[in-house]
Amino acid sequence: MKKLIATLALIIAAPLALQSNAALAETEKTKQVVYHVNKSDMNTIKAALRNVTNHINSPSGPETQIEIAVHGGGIAMLTEARNDPQLQAAIDNVKAHDVEIKVCANTLRGKNLDVKDDLYDTKESDVVPSGVAHVADRQAEGWAYIHP
Amino acid sequence: MKKLIATLALIIAAPLALQSNAALAETEKTKQVVYHVNKSDMNTIKAALRNVTNHINSPSGPETQIEIAVHGGGIAMLTEARNDPQLQAAIDNVKAHDVEIKVCANTLRGKNLDVKDDLYDTKESDVVPSGVAHVADRQAEGWAYIHP
Amino acid sequence: MKKLIATLALIIAAPLALQSNAALAETEKTKQVVYHVNKSDMNTIKAALRNVTNHINSPSGPETQIEIAVHGGGIAMLTEARNDPQLQAAIDNVKAHDVEIKVCANTLRGKNLDVKDDLYDTKESDVVPSGVAHVADRQAEGWAYIHP
């Protein structure tokens, strides 16, 4: 009897799982947006992360690819996060939804910051040569722009 | 005699009216722009409304469709306007030129604000699910973006 | 002998010079970006000029045409520069790389400023009827937008 139920469960569940995969495959990322974070003010930085979270949860969220580009004072998002668990959680949350955070090499050089020692959860591949050029290049590729 | 004058007036006025309609029809809105207002600072909010007014009065004005998207602190534009006749006049003026003001539902929920009780001259159809997603979606549709 | 060397030098140099011209001709400006400067805060204004310099020096720099549009408080970039040699040098430097600075006629009227008497190194042809309309029109032409 247990086996019959298990078999029935499989028969019912299998097409549902397939359907769910298909549904996921259907929500292609047809929209792209780059959030431009360049001020050290922590209220603006935290608001930017809330904005991104709201964007993810909006009706357009599933079809939208999101990047955050930090440079200048905006690098505080990643330096401050090293000692701020709440900020860490906000960053972890957006990254769990495939948001990438891009970091400006000019800013790292100018402020003498090390990717691994000074920035929260950042790797070399997150670094772009110039934050502003990255933001402009993304728009040339069709991305939208938001200045939080 | 009165009837003759009235008839002549109609004969003269009719083609003028037609011409006027044609002229209006010619200034199609071929450009679109969304103004992104997300700070509670009243100087920035009032500057945004002045910017929109200048945009309307610019050579590009007649062919430009304008929206203002308010969210986060920017909602102060509509909460403060309830008790600020000067701000009301600025809002009334841009609306008289077909500018729409879109309001973020997340902000209303987060700040526990009621569309009819707490916001100046706002209706349910002005509310969008997410202010930032709206701003990005508009750009995906080809709209320009301005952060005042 | 000297003549031979000179002739040989010409033979060697000529194709190099041709190649160099060709290389310059190849870096066509395929990307455009307008920087929107509308705040009087001098830190933001100086950061904007640093951003533009970094943009020029980025890998995308050679193929990117850059404009700075100043209006409202942002006009301080040009009024303050008259008495600030460091700011002058920053402006001179970006202009030497073909960056144009566009100035809003509404702002000049509103603040009663004269192009020649009150603004650093500005001429009548730098003035646009409306700064915000210019910024939106540029985007309609395919330009990217950056708010420093």
Side-chain angles (χ1 to χ4, degrees):
Chain A
M1 182 66 184
K2 261 191 180 167
K3 206 174 163 183
L4 179 62
I5 289 173
T7 309
L8 280 171
L10 261 177
I11 290 165
I12 295 163
L16 285 178
L18 277 172
Q19 200 171 28
S20 162
N21 279 342
L24 278 172
E26 274 171 41
T27 36
E28 236 188 298
K29 302 291 187 191
T30 54
K31 292 172 180 172
Q32 288 84 22
V33 59
V34 59
Y35 279 74
H36 181 209
V37 176
N38 65 337
K39 301 286 183 198
S40 61
D41 166 46
M42 290 311 292
N43 285 334
T44 298
I45 285 176
K46 287 175 180 175
L49 288 163
R50 276 199 307 277
N51 289 341
V52 170
T53 302
N54 283 335
H55 206 146
I56 292 166
N57 294 329
S58 79
S60 305
E63 66 200 28
T64 305
Q65 182 182 352
I66 302 176
E67 262 184 17
I68 302 171
V70 299
H71 73 90
I75 197 71
M77 180 189 282
L78 300 173
T79 53
E80 294 295 311
R82 293 181 74 240
N83 302 306
D84 182 336
Q86 210 192 339
L87 192 54
Q88 287 180 13
I91 291 172
D92 293 350
N93 175 55
V94 298
K95 285 190 170 181
H97 289 86
D98 298 325
V99 173
E100 287 192 63
I101 303 180
K102 296 294 183 185
V103 180
C104 174
N106 291 316
T107 301
L108 299 184
R109 246 192 321 274
K111 294 184 188 286
N112 202 21
L113 294 169
D114 181 78
V115 168
K116 280 185 189 159
D117 294 347
D118 301 318
L119 305 183
Y120 175 69
D121 192 29
T122 306
K123 49 193 194 302
E124 286 296 342
S125 60
D126 297 325
V127 179
V128 294
S130 157
V132 282
H134 181 75
V135 164
D137 290 351
R138 283 306 198 198
Q139 290 177 73
E141 292 165 13
W143 292 49
Y145 168 96
I146 288 182
H147 192 279
Chain B
M1 183 64 184
K2 261 193 181 170
K3 206 175 165 184
L4 180 62
I5 289 172
T7 308
L8 279 172
L10 260 176
I11 290 165
I12 294 161
L16 285 179
L18 277 172
Q19 200 171 29
S20 161
N21 279 343
L24 278 172
E26 273 171 44
T27 35
E28 236 188 298
K29 302 292 187 190
T30 53
K31 293 172 178 171
Q32 289 83 24
V33 58
V34 58
Y35 279 74
H36 180 208
V37 176
N38 66 337
K39 302 285 183 198
S40 60
D41 166 46
M42 290 310 292
N43 286 334
T44 298
I45 285 175
K46 287 175 180 174
L49 288 163
R50 275 199 307 277
N51 290 340
V52 170
T53 302
N54 282 335
H55 206 145
I56 291 166
N57 294 330
S58 79
S60 305
E63 65 201 28
T64 306
Q65 182 182 354
I66 302 177
E67 262 184 19
I68 302 171
V70 300
H71 73 91
I75 196 72
M77 181 189 283
L78 300 173
T79 53
E80 293 296 311
R82 294 182 72 241
N83 302 306
D84 181 337
Q86 209 191 341
L87 192 53
Q88 287 180 13
I91 292 171
D92 292 351
N93 174 55
V94 299
K95 286 191 170 180
H97 290 87
D98 297 326
V99 173
E100 288 192 62
I101 302 180
K102 296 295 184 183
V103 180
C104 174
N106 291 316
T107 301
L108 299 184
R109 248 193 320 275
K111 295 185 188 284
N112 202 22
L113 294 169
D114 182 78
V115 168
K116 282 185 189 158
D117 294 347
D118 301 317
L119 305 184
Y120 175 69
D121 191 29
T122 307
K123 50 193 192 302
E124 286 296 342
S125 60
D126 297 324
V127 179
V128 293
S130 157
V132 282
H134 181 76
V135 164
D137 290 351
R138 282 306 198 197
Q139 290 177 73
E141 292 164 13
W143 292 48
Y145 169 95
I146 288 182
H147 191 280
Chain C
M1 184 64 183
K2 261 192 180 165
K3 206 174 165 184
L4 180 64
I5 289 172
T7 308
L8 278 172
L10 261 176
I11 290 165
I12 293 162
L16 284 178
L18 277 172
Q19 200 172 29
S20 161
N21 280 341
L24 278 172
E26 273 170 41
T27 36
E28 236 188 297
K29 302 292 188 192
T30 54
K31 293 172 179 172
Q32 288 84 22
V33 58
V34 59
Y35 280 75
H36 180 208
V37 176
N38 67 335
K39 302 285 183 197
S40 61
D41 166 46
M42 289 310 292
N43 286 332
T44 297
I45 284 175
K46 287 175 180 175
L49 288 163
R50 275 197 308 278
N51 290 341
V52 170
T53 302
N54 283 334
H55 205 145
I56 291 166
N57 295 328
S58 79
S60 306
E63 65 200 31
T64 305
Q65 182 182 353
I66 302 177
E67 261 184 18
I68 302 171
V70 300
H71 72 92
I75 197 72
M77 180 188 283
L78 300 172
T79 53
E80 293 296 311
R82 293 183 72 240
N83 302 307
D84 181 338
Q86 210 192 339
L87 192 54
Q88 287 180 13
I91 291 171
D92 292 351
N93 175 55
V94 300
K95 285 191 170 180
H97 289 86
D98 297 326
V99 173
E100 288 191 62
I101 303 180
K102 296 294 183 183
V103 180
C104 173
N106 291 316
T107 301
L108 299 184
R109 247 192 322 273
K111 294 185 189 286
N112 202 21
L113 294 169
D114 181 78
V115 168
K116 281 185 189 158
D117 296 345
D118 301 317
L119 305 184
Y120 175 68
D121 191 30
T122 306
K123 50 193 191 302
E124 286 296 342
S125 60
D126 297 325
V127 180
V128 294
S130 156
V132 284
H134 182 75
V135 164
D137 290 350
R138 282 306 198 198
Q139 291 177 74
E141 292 164 14
W143 292 49
Y145 169 95
I146 288 182
H147 191 278

